[in-house]
Amino acid sequence: MSAGAFAHGVDDSTRNFLENNTGVQFLPFMYIGAKHMVTGYDHLLFLAGVIFFLYRSKDILLYVTMFTIGHSVTLLYGVLNEINVNAYLIDAIIGLSVAYKGFDNLGGFKKLFGKQPNTQLAVLIFGLFHGFGLATKLQEFELPEDGLLSNLIGFNIGVEIGQFAALGIILLLINAWRKLPSYDRFAVTANTLLISSGFMLIGFQLTGYFLN
């Protein structure tokens, strides 16, 4: 179950390509990055929580930019400098980010602690951890140094393309639901499910950490 919860699964054809590629492969890496983000449900759950109560385009762009800066920095830095982070622990923190955002959206911090954390800073910090999650997965394939920087940039651009494509669909669904009388109940249920999903991810990853 823990392996299935990784949300960083790689199919056989992608695995073979990553293990045997040589030189600059910009477009293939861009495609892999986009596919990885679209299928990376832990990243998407966090981003769905981030934009859930954002109504203005400039606010959405600001928060998504904060997340993008965070994960781009640690993705590039982690791979280029061979920063090894335990995959189970980093994915547990990513699960925590999902639970945090659902709790934050429900006003949990104000209700329990009487204080609201800096939401922009939180998105940036969790973005850093999401980037390390991507970097950790890529390092498993021992990518060759030849063309590495170009390939990483292509991968990162692909991640952004996949991110914006997925967010576009999520925004369309949320905006359509906002017009319905059931939206308030939906909002509470959806963010409660975010909290539950986050803690499930944490549990799965910590189980994998202690059993391996």
Side-chain angles (χ1 to χ4, degrees):
M1 292 179 70
S2 177
F6 248 52
H8 295 149
V10 176
D11 58 71
D12 290 339
S13 62
T14 301
R15 181 179 295 276
N16 288 333
F17 170 78
L18 290 173
E19 290 177 343
N20 298 294
N21 83 93
T22 55
V24 176
Q25 301 283 348
F26 190 86
L27 290 178
F29 269 86
M30 188 167 67
Y31 169 75
I32 292 170
K35 182 173 69 172
H36 182 85
M37 177 55 75
V38 170
T39 58
Y41 57 82
D42 50 356
H43 305 301
L44 295 181
L45 284 173
F46 177 69
L47 285 171
V50 168
I51 67 172
F52 200 93
F53 286 124
L54 298 179
Y55 296 89
R56 298 186 300 177
S57 297
K58 71 174 186 178
D59 291 332
I60 294 172
L61 181 60
L62 172 62
Y63 278 87
V64 172
T65 299
M66 298 297 285
F67 179 76
T68 298
I69 291 172
H71 78 67
S72 297
V73 167
T74 47
L75 167 62
L76 295 172
Y77 182 78
V79 176
L80 293 176
N81 292 279
E82 299 182 1
I83 306 298
N84 294 309
V85 183
N86 184 279
Y88 290 108
L89 292 181
I90 200 68
D91 281 354
I93 295 174
I94 292 174
L96 176 64
S97 74
V98 175
Y100 154 81
K101 199 57 207 164
F103 184 72
D104 183 43
N105 285 347
L106 293 177
F109 290 102
K110 285 185 178 179
K111 292 175 182 176
L112 290 182
F113 307 110
K115 187 176 181 180
Q116 175 65 40
N118 185 317
T119 52
Q120 294 178 22
L121 181 60
V123 169
L124 174 63
I125 291 173
F126 280 124
L128 295 172
F129 285 106
H130 280 252
F132 269 128
L134 294 170
T136 298
K137 175 52 64 177
L138 284 177
Q139 287 183 82
E140 292 180 6
F141 301 102
E142 299 181 355
L143 302 176
E145 292 291 332
D146 184 22
L148 179 60
L149 179 58
S150 296
N151 291 337
L152 287 178
I153 292 173
F155 180 86
N156 199 53
I157 291 174
V159 166
E160 304 315 319
I161 294 173
Q163 175 177 291
F164 279 103
L167 283 179
I169 296 173
I170 293 171
L171 275 173
L172 286 174
L173 294 173
I174 292 177
N175 286 333
W177 209 305
R178 281 174 180 157
K179 301 174 183 178
L180 301 177
S182 61
Y183 178 70
D184 288 340
R185 294 194 304 274
F186 161 72
V188 173
T189 301
N191 283 284
T192 302
L193 288 174
L194 276 182
I195 297 172
S196 300
S197 299
F199 279 111
M200 287 178 64
L201 287 170
I202 294 170
F204 289 151
Q205 300 304 333
L206 290 181
T207 299
Y209 174 74
F210 286 113
L211 294 181
N212 286 277

